[in-house]
Amino acid sequence: QSALTQPRSVSGSPGQSVTISCTGTPSDIGTYDYVSWYQQHPGKAPKVMIYDVTRRPSGVPDRFSASKSGNTASLTISGLQTEDEADYYCCSYVGDYNWVFGGGTKLTVL
Amino acid sequence: QVQLQGSGPGPVPVKPSQTLSLTCTVSGDSVTSGAYFWHWIRQTAEKGLEWVGRISTSGTINYNPSLKSRVTISVDISRDQFSLSLNSVTAADTAVYYCAKGPRFYYPSSGYPFYFDDWAQGTLVSVSS
C-alpha cells in the first residue's frame, strides 16, 4: 500500500488561510470515509486534529476544517496563528485492518 | 484521561538481525478496557509515519502486511502494558516508535474506530552494529 501524497511544504501569513491536500487512490481515500489528520510539533507526538474526514475532536479550534472529494482529502486552517506552524499528516484506513499515512506537510507561518 | 508511556532499549542500538522490544504502559484506565484498540506506529525520516499493528484484549490483533512476518504485539494485563516485538531488524527499522490508542467501537461522540486519539511520546530505536 503506497503512502498518500501530500505537498512537502505550505506557508501562509498570520490571519490567512492555507489548505493542505492529501491524494490517495480509489482503494483508500476514494473508498473509505475514514481520513484523519495529525499535527506534529518538533520533538512531539502527533495529535489528532480531524477524524472521519470532517470531525474535530473536542479542544481542536474550529479554525481547522477538512473535506474530501474523490481520492483527495484536504485540511484547511483559517486565521493562521504562529502556533499552527508544525508538520501535518493525513491518514486513511485502507481496509483489511490497515492504515496508510501521507508523507507529511511542513506548514510555515511567515 | 488515559495516558500512555512508551519505553524501550534505551540509548544502546539494537544489532542487525536481532529483536527489537518495546513496551507501552497505560495509566488512567486499564489496558483491559474494552473501549480501545492499542496501536503501534513508527516514524522514519525516509518513510514518515507507518502503522505497525494493533491489539485489543478481546483477542483481536492486526498487523501491517508489510511487517506481519516479523511483528508480534501482546498485552500484559497484570502490568497494564502492551508490547511490540520486531525480529530480524535491519537499519531500515531505525525509527521513533509510538504507542497510541484508538476507539474500538463507533459512538456518536467519538466517531468510527479508524483513527488514533492519544499518542505517547515516541521512543527512538536505532539499529546498528
Side-chain angles (χ1 to χ4, degrees), chain A residues 47-61:
Chain A
K47 171 189 174 184
V48 63
M49 305 301 282
I50 297 286
Y51 64 93
D52 292 357
V53 179
T54 62
R55 297 185 65 173
R56 273 180 290 107
S58 62
V60 173

Side-chain angles (χ1 to χ4, degrees), chain B residues 31-32 38 55-58 60-61 73-84:
Chain B
V31 75
T32 59
W38 309 102
I55 190 169
S56 76
T57 50
S58 69
T60 299
I61 308 175
I73 296 177
S74 59
V75 167
D76 185 336
I77 293 173
S78 66
R79 298 187 176 188
D80 265 329
Q81 294 176 336
F82 62 105
S83 298
L84 169 69

Side-chain angles (χ1 to χ4, degrees), chain A residues 90-110:
Chain A
C90 59
C91 178
S92 177
Y93 179 68
V94 299
D96 293 330
Y97 307 111
N98 193 15
W99 283 259
V100 66
F101 286 88
T105 298
K106 180 177 180 57
L107 169 62
T108 301
V109 181
L110 303 169

Side-chain angles (χ1 to χ4, degrees), chain B residues 7 12 14 23 29 32 44 47 52 55 58 61 63 66 68 74 77 80 83-84 86-88 91 122 124-125:
Chain B
S7 59
V12 178
V14 179
T23 297
D29 201 337
T32 59
T44 66
K47 297 180 70 175
V52 175
I55 190 169
S58 69
I61 308 175
Y63 299 126
S66 67
K68 188 173 183 177
S74 59
I77 293 173
D80 265 329
S83 298
L84 169 69
L86 180 66
N87 61 39
S88 303
L124 175 62
V125 178

Side-chain angles (χ1 to χ4, degrees), chain A residues 38 40 45 52 55 89 97, chain B residues 43 54 98 108 112 116 121:
Chain A
Y38 301 86
Q40 186 178 34
D52 292 357
R55 297 185 65 173
Y89 295 88
Y97 307 111
Chain B
Q43 185 170 29
R54 71 171 186 178
Y98 294 98
Y112 289 91
F116 319 105
Q121 272 299 102

Side-chain angles (χ1 to χ4, degrees), chain A residues 73-91:
Chain A
S74 299
L75 173 72
T76 297
I77 310 170
S78 58
L80 270 177
Q81 299 183 4
T82 54
E83 59 261 36
D84 299 333
E85 185 163 293
D87 294 327
Y88 291 85
Y89 295 88
C90 59
C91 178

Side-chain angles (χ1 to χ4, degrees), chain B residues 1-6 24-27 37-39 82 99-102 117-121:
Chain B
Q1 178 80 6
V2 178
Q3 293 191 325
L4 305 172
Q5 182 166 355
C24 188
T25 300
V26 179
S27 59
F37 272 110
W38 309 102
H39 298 262
F82 62 105
C99 56
K101 76 169 181 56
D117 57 6
D118 280 301
W119 301 54
Q121 272 299 102

